[in-house]
Amino acid sequence: MIPMAFRGDLEALVLGALDGGAAHGYEIARRIKAVSEEALAVGEGLLYPALHGLERDGLVVAEWVTQEGKPNRKVYRLTDAGRGALAKKRREWQRFAAGVSAVLKPGPSGA
Amino acid sequence: MLDAYLAELETELRRRLPRAEVQIRLAEAEAHLRDGVEGRIELGLDAPAAEHEAVAAFGDPRRFARASAWAALAPSDALRMRCVALWGAGMFLSAALVRIATAHKLSNDDALSFFGTMACLVALAVAAFAARRPAPLRVAALALFQGVVVWATLSRVYVRAADAACGPYPRAEAPRALRDYERLERAWTAYRRGGVDALRVADGYLAADGRRRRRDRTEAPPYFKLDLSVVPDRNAAQESWARLGTSTGPADVRREIAALERAQSAPTRDALDWIVRGPVPFFSPGFVVLPPLGVDLLFGGLGALAFAARRRFDRGTYA
């Protein structure tokens, strides 16, 4: 059984967004929305518990960045373990997507 | 609006997380929201609309707080492995304790219950302490509950062992039987010191000057009356005691006393010591709090279901 839920795996999306480079939470949400061409709109608040879970599991590391005149911001980036996890998620998603596509493909008599 | 939202968020976080964690979560949320407001203003929205949209996009503060608390409390994979190892060690310890307890000829029916109870105890303790923010009262309540369950489980173990040691003899009579044995030992000591007469004096049948103090009955003396209603050969007991008066030496007396003991079908002195002065009196009241294995597993199962349901809810999905 492939562990990814049909509606999406938030940790996988976060790992995928961080593959493009270190980012803070707002940037991650923006990347997901932009790259998916707004097909995916993440509940932005829920990104942070996912990020903290990934940080706890060692898949991402974070550091606080000070900004002049603005609140400090926590920036996340992938670790090697995170990259490995992302690769695994990609394989699982490809298998899942291929399976769903095969099932949803119209039959010979379908439209 | 943003400030009101952050105040509500802080309230929700404070209910679920330690102060340090609250500050971190709040700082991240504030930075995110302010970035969101800025970005929307750059796109042409006015400030109130930008704040409204940013807050709506961030989500319900209660849901955020719950998910944050879960993320703070959920065990990592490494900790999960330690939990499994501890649980396994708990099972092994339980099995070892049961094995030791079988030296007291316990019924095997209780082994599985005790085994399961100890495993649940270890799992609950590890789950409680695995939280980043262990709640002392909750842990204490869990420990107390499981302590009561363990005590009650052991009570079944010990009570059954005591009943097995007593055999047909009523366990409630064990203290009286032990007192009778101790009187028997005192009589034996008196006999060794001064012969049959000393024994009869110690037993109260003769005064120190040799005068008869009690009617010389043919029935056995009190400390041999170990519930004679259940002894098949009461006559044998009485005849043995009568022969005791004519015995010539310690070996004869010991033989007669041994015969009386066998006739009475009472538990052995060691068994009575264990039943009356061992762990049984401490555990036996818990017998009324019978912890069937199913009850413990039911609680564990319900807890696991609630845990899984809460985890699924708080992890959240994207819209």
Side-chain angles (χ1 to χ4, degrees):
Chain A
M1 181 180 159
I2 297 173
M4 257 190 181
F6 185 78
R7 284 175 61 85
D9 185 328
L10 191 56
E11 281 83 8
L13 294 177
V14 169
L15 290 173
L18 286 173
D19 197 33
H24 51 79
Y26 183 73
E27 175 63 20
I28 291 170
R30 203 190 59 77
R31 280 183 193 175
I32 292 172
K33 201 171 172 182
V35 170
S36 69
E37 296 177 351
E38 303 203 8
L40 304 177
V42 182
E44 293 176 13
L46 296 176
L47 279 176
Y48 291 96
L51 281 164
H52 298 145
L54 291 171
E55 188 181 3
R56 185 191 58 236
D57 291 339
L59 302 183
V60 303
V61 290
E63 58 179 351
W64 285 95
V65 173
T66 49
Q67 301 182 100
E68 221 167 297
K70 286 185 180 179
N72 290 352
R73 162 182 295 169
K74 202 171 178 185
V75 175
Y76 297 85
R77 61 180 170 79
L78 283 179
T79 62
D80 290 339
R83 287 191 189 85
L86 177 58
K88 187 180 173 192
K89 291 281 188 187
R90 281 179 174 141
R91 285 194 300 272
E92 288 168 354
W93 173 256
Q94 280 160 4
R95 273 186 60 203
F96 176 77
V100 172
S101 295
V103 171
L104 294 180
K105 190 170 63 177
S109 58
Chain B
M1 182 180 191
L2 192 58
D3 293 334
Y5 180 86
L6 288 170
E8 190 182 349
L9 192 61
E10 185 177 1
T11 302
E12 294 294 337
L13 287 170
R14 283 199 188 282
R15 284 166 55 190
R16 292 171 174 86
L17 290 170
R19 188 188 301 264
E21 295 282 345
V22 169
Q23 295 306 318
I24 292 170
R25 303 289 183 268
L26 208 54
E28 279 193 290
E30 184 180 0
H32 184 109
L33 286 163
R34 296 208 185 278
D35 283 340
V37 170
E38 263 185 38
R40 286 169 174 85
I41 289 174
E42 283 172 11
L43 289 174
L45 289 175
D46 58 16
E51 286 188 4
H52 188 270
E53 272 199 21
V55 161
F58 197 80
D60 176 39
R62 202 175 307 168
R63 195 171 187 202
F64 173 78
R66 268 203 301 261
S68 296
W70 162 255
L73 296 177
S76 64
D77 286 340
L79 188 56
R80 264 190 222 109
M81 290 306 298
R82 281 187 223 125
C83 291
V84 169
L86 272 172
W87 180 82
M91 300 276 274
F92 180 76
L93 180 63
S94 306
L97 286 172
V98 169
R99 190 76 182 97
I100 292 168
T102 53
H104 293 283
K105 297 176 187 163
L106 301 174
S107 163
N108 287 331
D109 296 342
D110 295 304
L112 187 58
S113 181
F114 184 70
F115 199 71
T117 300
M118 289 301 294
C120 287
L121 172 65
V122 171
L124 278 172
V126 170
F129 283 100
R132 298 282 173 78
R133 185 193 180 199
L137 282 179
R138 193 184 308 166
V139 167
L142 274 172
L144 182 65
F145 171 72
Q146 277 300 141
V148 169
V149 172
V150 170
W151 173 65
T153 304
L154 284 174
S155 76
R156 297 176 68 209
V157 167
Y158 278 107
V159 165
R160 287 198 188 182
D163 286 340
C166 284
Y169 192 78
R171 183 166 51 84
E173 295 292 317
R176 188 176 73 105
L178 184 60
R179 285 195 299 274
D180 290 340
Y181 265 116
E182 287 170 344
R183 288 180 63 185
L184 182 65
E185 284 176 355
R186 285 195 294 273
W188 168 241
T189 303
Y191 172 79
R192 288 180 67 189
R193 194 174 55 241
V196 175
D197 284 346
L199 185 149
R200 287 177 180 261
V201 167
D203 194 55
Y205 278 89
L206 289 179
D209 59 3
R211 284 186 299 167
R212 188 185 300 168
R213 294 179 70 182
R214 291 208 291 249
R215 194 164 57 88
D216 195 2
R217 295 170 292 178
T218 56
E219 60 192 39
Y223 55 81
F224 286 134
K225 287 185 181 179
L226 304 175
D227 198 356
L228 293 180
S229 61
V230 300
V231 174
D233 59 348
R234 181 188 181 121
N235 289 335
Q238 291 174 348
E239 287 168 6
S240 293
W241 174 245
R243 283 198 297 274
L244 191 62
T246 60
S247 301
T248 56
D252 295 324
V253 175
R254 281 201 300 273
R255 191 168 49 244
E256 298 300 340
I257 289 174
L260 282 166
E261 285 182 23
R262 285 192 298 273
Q264 305 304 321
S265 300
T268 63
R269 170 59 189 276
D270 288 343
L272 287 172
D273 260 336
W274 180 75
I275 292 167
V276 176
R277 299 199 177 114
V280 176
F282 172 74
F283 285 105
S284 59
F287 192 71
V288 297
V289 184
L290 296 175
L293 178 62
V295 172
D296 221 9
L297 287 180
L298 177 66
F299 277 114
L302 287 174
L305 278 174
F307 190 80
R310 178 73 179 265
R311 185 167 189 255
R312 179 145 183 87
F313 176 78
D314 284 333
R315 276 174 67 132
T317 57
Y318 65 89

